[in-house]
Amino acid sequence: MWQKAPAVEIVTRFAPSPNGPLHLGHAFAAIVAHDRAREAGGRFLLRIEDIDGPRSRPELADTFRRDLEWLGLEWEEVPAQSTRLESYEAATARLRAEGLVYPCTCTRREIAAAATCEGPEGPVYPGTCKRGAPDPERPAALRLDLEKALEATGNLGWVDEIAGEQGADPRAGGDPVVVRKDLPASYHLAATLDDAVDGVTVVTRGADLFEATHVHRLLQALLGLPVPRWHHHRLLLDEKGRKLAKRRGSPALSDRREAGEDGLMLARQLRLQHLPSGT
Ligand code: GLU
Ligand code: ZN
């Protein structure tokens, strides 16, 4: 008998890291995520990505909330990453049990010296520690063995609401780090698990993270997680065509707020930059 498939609730999130103040680019990202959910009668979540230990400044989370309020956004806040370390450890144990990860003691400098090509995140890791036995005395990260992982999953695909259907090819960056030397997860592992636990159905984020999604799709397959859709939006650029950044003088939202600027007006202007052509 024909049955109408239940409509998937739209759940999006804004996931800032409290490593520095939010600027215009973050405001844009938050608005895109917020509006994508609201237009569909869905839910918009805020998740503070605060596991980047020494760089993380927890007091900024409160500033972020006030910035979002100032922009006229409403959200549901889900637990910060620092409260979820057990879930990262459990996932890592599973990958380890399946023989899909290996320790890597290489430093950035060693990788740069050994690499023969550049990937989306810099020099591509050439697999040094997969072939040799890494020194057990040195701190180790864990990397995913892409060859084995892709053998286990076969071909994978994912859908971007703007760019359309994509074949997942996570190889461009080399074997990705899933556990950092100093943290129980990498960005890839933490974000993938959190989005699944939070029930995110449309992952909205900047186009600078498009390549990372190939890795996230693979992790979802390996860990048996639900597969969302993605919405990689354009990045706001400065007048020289560069990505906005605090260090290049993009003012903090909190400074603009404290200077008495109208946040609702700013939000309206930003919405005009998110054109129906998708991007
Ligand atoms: N915490 C990440 C950032 O601030 C979020 C990336 C994502 O949305 O997946 O860049
Ligand atoms: Zn290594």
Side-chain angles (χ1 to χ4, degrees), residues 156-171:
L156 299 168
W158 54 278
V159 177
D160 183 277
E161 294 187 333
I162 298 157
E165 287 185 27
Q166 308 292 316
D169 187 1
R171 279 170 297 206

Side-chain angles (χ1 to χ4, degrees), residues 28 32 162 231 234 270-279:
F28 183 65
V32 170
I162 298 157
H231 180 118
R234 58 175 286 225
L270 287 172
R271 284 190 169 97
L272 295 177
Q273 310 214 29
H274 187 239
L275 298 171
S277 64
T279 61

Side-chain angles (χ1 to χ4, degrees), residues 79-261:
Q81 282 189 330
S82 55
T83 67
R84 304 181 186 219
L85 304 186
E86 278 170 24
S87 113
Y88 308 148
E89 279 154 12
T92 305
R94 179 165 168 181
L95 296 174
R96 213 194 274 272
E98 286 167 20
L100 296 174
V101 290
Y102 63 91
C104 166
T105 58
C106 297
T107 60
R108 255 174 220 279
R109 190 191 294 243
E110 285 168 338
I111 295 170
T116 55
C117 54
E118 282 284 312
E121 294 171 45
V124 173
Y125 181 64
T128 322
C129 296
K130 187 156 59 173
R131 294 187 303 271
D135 179 353
E137 300 295 314
R138 289 173 57 182
L142 281 183
R143 286 184 186 269
L144 186 66
D145 186 329
L146 279 181
E147 211 177 312
K148 280 193 197 166
L150 289 167
E151 217 167 276
T153 64
N155 288 341
L156 299 168
W158 54 278
V159 177
D160 183 277
E161 294 187 333
I162 298 157
E165 287 185 27
Q166 308 292 316
D169 187 1
R171 279 170 297 206
D175 286 352
V177 172
V178 289
V179 177
R180 281 171 40 168
K181 286 177 187 167
D182 56 338
L183 290 176
S186 65
Y187 157 67
H188 297 309
L189 183 66
T192 301
L193 285 169
D194 294 349
D195 284 337
V197 169
D198 295 339
V200 173
T201 59
V202 183
V203 175
T204 71
R205 61 180 169 217
D208 52 338
L209 287 166
F210 195 91
E211 295 296 326
T213 299
H214 294 301
V215 174
H216 300 185
R217 179 65 190 90
L218 177 60
L219 287 171
Q220 285 156 359
L222 295 171
L223 295 167
L225 303 174
V227 182
R229 296 158 69 87
W230 281 265
H231 180 118
H232 292 93
H233 58 75
R234 58 175 286 225
L235 298 175
L236 294 188
L237 303 176
D238 68 12
E239 47 310 328
K240 293 200 179 115
R242 298 172 310 189
K243 190 180 155 186
L244 294 177
K246 174 88 173 46
R247 65 178 185 284
R248 289 196 286 261
S250 181
L253 297 181
S254 52
D255 290 342
R256 301 174 72 149
R257 175 161 57 77
E258 279 157 22
E261 192 176 327

Side-chain angles (χ1 to χ4, degrees), residues 7-136:
V8 178
E9 186 184 27
I10 299 298
V11 182
T12 65
R13 89 304 193 266
F14 176 54
S17 304
N19 300 336
L22 301 184
H23 57 65
L24 214 53
H26 297 107
F28 183 65
I31 289 170
V32 170
H34 169 274
D35 291 3
R36 177 68 187 86
R38 287 288 174 269
E39 284 157 12
R43 297 163 58 212
F44 169 60
L45 312 179
L46 170 66
R47 182 174 70 232
I48 304 292
E49 303 215 317
D50 62 346
I51 53 166
D52 201 351
R55 293 207 305 148
S56 188
R57 292 163 49 199
E59 74 282 2
L60 281 175
D62 217 47
T63 310
F64 291 1
R65 294 182 195 106
R66 274 179 283 143
D67 293 341
L68 297 181
E69 240 167 55
W70 175 66
L71 292 167
L73 307 185
E74 283 178 37
W75 65 90
E76 282 170 58
E77 186 159 351
V78 294
Q81 282 189 330
S82 55
T83 67
R84 304 181 186 219
L85 304 186
E86 278 170 24
S87 113
Y88 308 148
E89 279 154 12
T92 305
R94 179 165 168 181
L95 296 174
R96 213 194 274 272
E98 286 167 20
L100 296 174
V101 290
Y102 63 91
C104 166
T105 58
C106 297
T107 60
R108 255 174 220 279
R109 190 191 294 243
E110 285 168 338
I111 295 170
T116 55
C117 54
E118 282 284 312
E121 294 171 45
V124 173
Y125 181 64
T128 322
C129 296
K130 187 156 59 173
R131 294 187 303 271
D135 179 353

